[in-house]
């Protein structure tokens, strides 16, 4: 059994996130009418539904894992949003080939899969001049008083993690202007996410399949680290506009 299917079964939220914050960020954008909207690494569609419902325009939901897209389609039907959602099973690094003139590119908790700076540099080619990108990324929120266990965990788990300032610089170098940043509240990590994953991971920690067991144990470790984070890291939204 695929560990991802077991651990994330029936979940709509596949990373820390919050519909209210997604909507708040969307409403804060300098434009509100978009023709081509792409949700990169959409997963099971939590934020896709926020976009489609608010914008009342088609949202292209891109993910490389078909079972998540199948769940997204099912949920979209249940929510009455199916006519506004188009799914594309593809690698998000190929977005410029498939969508050459995007008005709004949205990506929550997914850009890291191809590297945050690589994702921004790749997608800028697909965004029309003055078009917008909203990308969330795990970042260091401060430089000092970071618990040793937190540093140790991310040194092996996500050594590419940067500070907010470094990521802003990366975005500017890739050809974007920064409008704003928003940090996810800690509650958005727990509600419908860690509170679901923790008991599941505990129940899978002694599974007969070593891949399942390892994934469960790693997830439990991530949740334990979150409990001692002392606001040293977080998920930050970067609201960007293509400048050239
Ligand atoms: C942590 S999940 C976040 C999903 C969703 N945005 C959310 O917040 O619930 C990351 C998603 O990126 C997808 N993904 C990973 N690598 C990808 C790639 N190279 N191209 C497209 N999707 C990818 C995964 O299948 C997964 O659905």
């Amino acid at each position: 059994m695929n560990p991802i299917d077991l651990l994330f079964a029936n979940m709509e939220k596949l990373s820390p996130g919050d519909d209210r914050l997604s909507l708040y960020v969307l409403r804060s954008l300098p434009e509100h009418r978009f023709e081509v909207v792409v949700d990169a690494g959409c997963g099971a569609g939590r934020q896709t539904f926020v976009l489609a419902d608010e914008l009342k325009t088609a949202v292209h939901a891109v993910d490389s894992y078909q079972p998540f897209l199948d769940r997204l389609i099912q949920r979209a039907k249940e929510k009455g949003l199916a006519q506004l959602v188009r799914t594309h099973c593809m690698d998000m690094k190929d977005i410029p080939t498939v969508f050459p003139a995007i008005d709004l590119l949205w990506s929550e908790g997914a850009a890291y899969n191809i590297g945050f700076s690589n994702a921004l540099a790749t997608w800028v080619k697909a965004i029309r001049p003055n078009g917008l990108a909203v990308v969330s990324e795990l970042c260091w929120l401060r430089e000092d008083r970071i618990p040793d266990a937190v540093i140790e965990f991310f040194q092996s788990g996500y050594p590419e993690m940067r500070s907010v300032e470094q990521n802003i610089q990366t975005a500017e170098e890739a050809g974007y202007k920064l409008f704003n940043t928003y940090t996810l509240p800690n509650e958005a990590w727990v509600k419908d996410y860690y509170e679901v994953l923790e008991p599941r991971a505990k129940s899978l920690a002694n599974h007969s399949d070593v891949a399942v067991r390892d994934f469960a144990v790693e997830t439990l470790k991530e949740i334990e680290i979150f409990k001692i984070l002392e606001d040293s890291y977080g998920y930050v939204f970067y609201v960007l506009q293509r400048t050239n």
Side-chain angles (χ1 to χ4, degrees), residues 6-9 11 13 186 189-206 212-213 215-228:
L6 271 179
L7 205 64
F8 292 98
M11 288 173 70
K13 188 162 149 176
N186 286 354
W189 291 69
V190 178
K191 191 170 175 302
D192 299 332
Y193 191 61
Y194 280 166
E195 70 181 7
V196 180
L197 286 178
E198 189 172 24
R200 278 189 192 182
K202 278 185 180 156
S203 73
L204 295 170
N206 295 313
V212 173
R213 215 160 55 226
F215 195 48
V217 167
E218 192 56 25
T219 302
L220 288 173
K221 206 158 128 197
E222 180 190 314
I223 296 170
E224 287 312 309
I225 289 297
F226 175 80
K227 289 176 185 168
I228 57 157

Side-chain angles (χ1 to χ4, degrees), residues 117-182:
S117 57
N118 178 47
L120 291 187
T122 302
W123 296 338
V124 77
K125 299 172 218 144
I127 298 171
R128 67 158 173 78
N130 298 319
L132 299 169
V134 176
V135 182
S136 77
E137 166 73 352
L138 191 63
C139 315
W140 292 116
L141 297 181
R142 54 181 160 79
E143 284 173 9
D144 55 356
R145 291 176 292 109
I146 304 172
D148 288 346
V150 173
I151 295 179
E152 208 177 296
F153 179 78
F154 285 107
Q155 259 167 3
S156 62
Y158 192 31
E160 302 82 11
M161 188 154 95
R162 298 287 175 261
S163 67
V164 175
E165 294 70 25
Q166 285 170 321
N167 283 335
I168 291 172
Q169 193 182 340
T170 297
E172 288 172 347
E173 284 167 5
Y176 302 87
K177 173 177 115 179
L178 177 81
F179 270 107
N180 219 335
T181 60
Y182 300 89

Side-chain angles (χ1 to χ4, degrees), residues 221-239:
K221 206 158 128 197
E222 180 190 314
I223 296 170
E224 287 312 309
I225 289 297
F226 175 80
K227 289 176 185 168
I228 57 157
L229 96 155
E230 293 177 23
D231 293 328
S232 56
Y233 65 92
Y235 251 107
V236 174
F237 281 83
Y238 297 84
V239 179

Side-chain angles (χ1 to χ4, degrees), residues 15 46 65-66 84 98 108 111-112:
S15 80
R46 181 195 61 74
Y65 194 52
Q66 187 62 45
L84 290 176
V98 181
E108 288 197 41
Y112 70 91

Side-chain angles (χ1 to χ4, degrees), residues 4 8 12-17 39-48 62-66 68 88 90-93 107-114 136 193 235:
I4 292 180
F8 292 98
E12 192 169 287
K13 188 162 149 176
L14 302 179
S15 80
D39 181 6
C42 59
R46 181 195 61 74
Q47 69 293 309
T48 320
V62 168
D63 204 281
S64 53
Y65 194 52
Q66 187 62 45
F68 288 158
H88 305 262
M90 56 178 268
D91 195 310
M92 57 187 164
K93 75 174 168 42
S107 183
E108 288 197 41
Y112 70 91
N113 284 295
I114 58 168
S136 77
Y193 191 61
Y235 251 107

